[in-house]
């Protein structure tokens, strides 16, 4: 845990969030500034700075987190219509919170390539 990490504080309950799904090791909550009608962030409860470091440290956790993104898509009713998973990593990708999070984006047509 990192006490100066915003998403660790959400896991602790010290910062409120709208939780849509939770397992013992993963939390899914709505993005505060949604970029699409469905915009959910799926995070491990344990602090890892980015997707690569999570996958290297705990491959089972990374796999579980991916499975939870699929459950979130079903709960949000977008599994059939489609959705995008994004792990922004580093400065050029505009990662702003250095606690790994998978964006689940859906509910409108998502252009490709992204801007
Ligand atoms: P990144 O740019 O690091 O990939 O994404 C960070 C995301 O966290 C952004 O989409 C931003 O809107 C979201 N975010 C930042 N602060 C908060 C917060 O306090 N609560 C929630 N629910 N989302 C946040
Ligand atoms: Zn953290």
């Amino acid at each position: 845990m990192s006490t100066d990490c915003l998403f660790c504080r959400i896991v602790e309950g010290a910062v409120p969030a709208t939780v849509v799904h939770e397992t013992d090791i993963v939390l899914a909550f709505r993005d505060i500034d949604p970029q699409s009608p469905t915009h959910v962030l799926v995070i491990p409860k344990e602090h890892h700075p980015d997707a690569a470091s999570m996958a290297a440290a705990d491959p089972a956790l990374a796999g579980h987190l991916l499975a939870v993104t699929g459950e979130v898509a079903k709960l949000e009713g977008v599994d059939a219509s489609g959705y995008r998973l994004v792990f922004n990593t580093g400065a050029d990708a505009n990662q702003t919170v250095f606690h790994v999070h998978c964006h689940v984006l859906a509910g409108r047509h998502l252009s490709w390539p992204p801007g």
Side-chain angles (χ1 to χ4, degrees), residues 7-28:
F7 287 177
C8 281
R9 291 177 63 76
I10 286 177
V11 170
E12 291 165 14
V15 171
T18 304
V19 172
V20 299
H21 189 43
E22 182 172 11
T23 72
D24 54 342
I25 54 173
V26 164
L27 188 68

Side-chain angles (χ1 to χ4, degrees), residues 6-7 10 15-18 29-35 39 41 86-90 93-99 101 103:
L6 173 63
F7 287 177
I10 286 177
V15 171
T18 304
F29 55 93
R30 298 202 187 285
D31 196 290
I32 203 167
D33 181 21
Q35 302 303 309
H39 189 171
L41 303 175
V86 175
F87 288 95
N88 290 325
T89 304
N94 290 316
Q95 184 179 5
T96 59
V97 178
F98 289 85
H99 179 132
H101 48 281
H103 297 258

Side-chain angles (χ1 to χ4, degrees), residues 21-113:
H21 189 43
E22 182 172 11
T23 72
D24 54 342
I25 54 173
V26 164
L27 188 68
F29 55 93
R30 298 202 187 285
D31 196 290
I32 203 167
D33 181 21
Q35 302 303 309
S36 53
T38 288
H39 189 171
V40 173
L41 303 175
V42 183
I43 70 168
K45 292 183 178 178
E46 186 174 87
H47 183 90
H48 296 279
D50 56 42
S53 49
M54 171 179 64
D58 193 342
L61 174 59
H64 178 77
L65 187 147
L66 276 182
V68 168
T69 66
E71 292 170 16
V72 166
K74 282 186 187 147
L75 288 169
E76 294 289 306
V78 299
D79 52 319
S81 51
Y83 56 96
R84 180 169 294 162
L85 303 180
V86 175
F87 288 95
N88 290 325
T89 304
D92 277 358
N94 290 316
Q95 184 179 5
T96 59
V97 178
F98 289 85
H99 179 132
V100 60
H101 48 281
C102 184
H103 297 258
V104 181
L105 298 153
R108 65 172 171 82
H109 181 74
L110 299 162
S111 60
W112 189 263

